[in-house]
Amino acid sequence: QVHLVESGGGLVQPGGSLRLSCATSGFTFRVYAMSWYRQSPGKERELVAAITTTGRTNYADSVKGRFTISRDNAKNTVYLQMNSLKPEDTAVYYCHASWSQLNYWGQGTQVTVSS
């Protein structure tokens, strides 16, 4: 079965850093585009960062210059390095995999940025 399991979330002070990991299994990771989304209460789910099968990346304007998405095909894992965190980054962060018409979601990990 397909599994996407996020980890690395937690409570961090403004200006701090976290690295999220998404460990996957049950599908051919290398052919999937991977991405991170986030959702806060009362807000729409938004795309934070994406990375293609060849390593091309794109980011939401709100996180550009602060977040970095990467992938390790040997480990079937995608990462989100989050630096200079702001309170408005507080959300549940979800890992997403996409290939053609197939797509999968992780269960999410909570990130809270607060002093």
Side-chain angles (χ1 to χ4, degrees):
Q1 64 274 37
V2 169
H3 292 285
L4 289 75
V5 181
E6 301 94 335
S7 62
L11 176 63
V12 65
Q13 294 183 355
S17 297
L18 285 173
R19 190 179 80 153
L20 306 184
S21 297
C22 174
T24 75
S25 61
F27 64 98
T28 307
F29 179 87
R30 64 177 175 82
V31 310
Y32 279 71
M34 301 298 299
S35 57
W36 289 93
Y37 288 76
R38 67 187 181 188
Q39 188 165 28
S40 301
K43 295 184 64 179
E44 296 286 325
R45 182 185 62 192
E46 66 170 334
L47 178 66
V48 175
I51 185 166
T52 70
T53 58
T54 59
R56 188 176 72 253
T57 61
N58 66 83
Y59 300 91
D61 288 343
S62 59
V63 309
K64 204 167 297 180
R66 300 187 297 120
F67 290 11
T68 303
I69 189 171
S70 61
R71 66 190 295 158
D72 186 339
N73 288 346
K75 297 183 182 296
N76 296 333
T77 300
V78 64
Y79 305 94
L80 186 67
Q81 179 67 47
M82 305 185 295
N83 298 326
S84 302
L85 282 161
K86 305 174 179 180
E88 51 262 45
D89 296 318
T90 296
V92 177
Y93 283 71
Y94 297 93
C95 181
H96 180 255
S98 178
W99 178 58
S100 188
Q101 300 301 110
L102 298 176
N103 69 98
Y104 308 109
W105 291 93
Q107 83 291 340
T109 186
Q110 176 71 48
V111 171
T112 302
V113 185
S114 180
S115 57

